[in-house]
Amino acid sequence: MKRVCFLLKVRPDRLDEYRERHAAVWPEMLDALRATGWRNYSLFVRDDGLLVGYLETEDFEAALAGMAATGVNARWQAEMAPFFEGLDGRPDEGMATLAEVFHLD
């Protein structure tokens, strides 16, 4: 299983609404994430909007491609895009992944 960590930047003035949206993620979005191999997926956000995402998956590129092929992901990404700073597209296309340098099992 590959561990993936990524960064995005939520607009600070939209943080409350962003949190609300993620307290009620659409059931079909959750099903699509599971079906395309996203496991142990978490999002963390700092008060200045720095967002850190973490997930585990067998194949990150396949997991991204699987989600990109779903209609629910297209709708979700379109709704989420205005929440982010510095994106030229969808949030799932703008994730800055981080290299793992240490892991304690």
Side-chain angles (χ1 to χ4, degrees):
M1 195 66 73
K2 179 176 173 65
R3 291 179 300 277
V4 178
C5 186
F6 63 87
L7 300 176
L8 287 165
K9 183 72 166 51
V10 179
R11 296 176 188 283
D13 63 323
R14 306 280 314 261
L15 274 172
D16 289 341
E17 186 181 359
Y18 184 82
R19 289 180 178 114
E20 289 171 12
R21 296 281 187 105
H22 283 81
V25 176
W26 307 332
E28 57 269 47
M29 183 64 172
L30 298 174
D31 291 343
L33 287 163
R34 289 183 187 104
T36 57
W38 297 62
R39 303 285 181 266
N40 199 24
Y41 183 25
S42 298
L43 297 173
F44 303 87
V45 68
R46 204 166 62 181
D47 287 341
D48 67 355
L50 178 67
L51 180 107
V52 177
Y54 174 85
L55 67 121
E56 296 171 357
T57 187
E58 293 293 330
D59 182 338
F60 186 49
E61 295 304 318
L64 284 172
M67 284 304 291
T70 68
V72 68
N73 187 60
R75 292 190 309 277
W76 181 265
Q77 297 302 324
E79 287 202 17
M80 292 296 107
F83 287 89
F84 293 94
E85 292 181 358
L87 288 183
D88 291 327
R90 299 170 10 166
D92 61 343
E93 296 169 340
M95 295 185 290
T97 57
L98 303 176
E100 183 176 313
V101 296
F102 176 79
H103 174 73
L104 175 67
D105 191 21

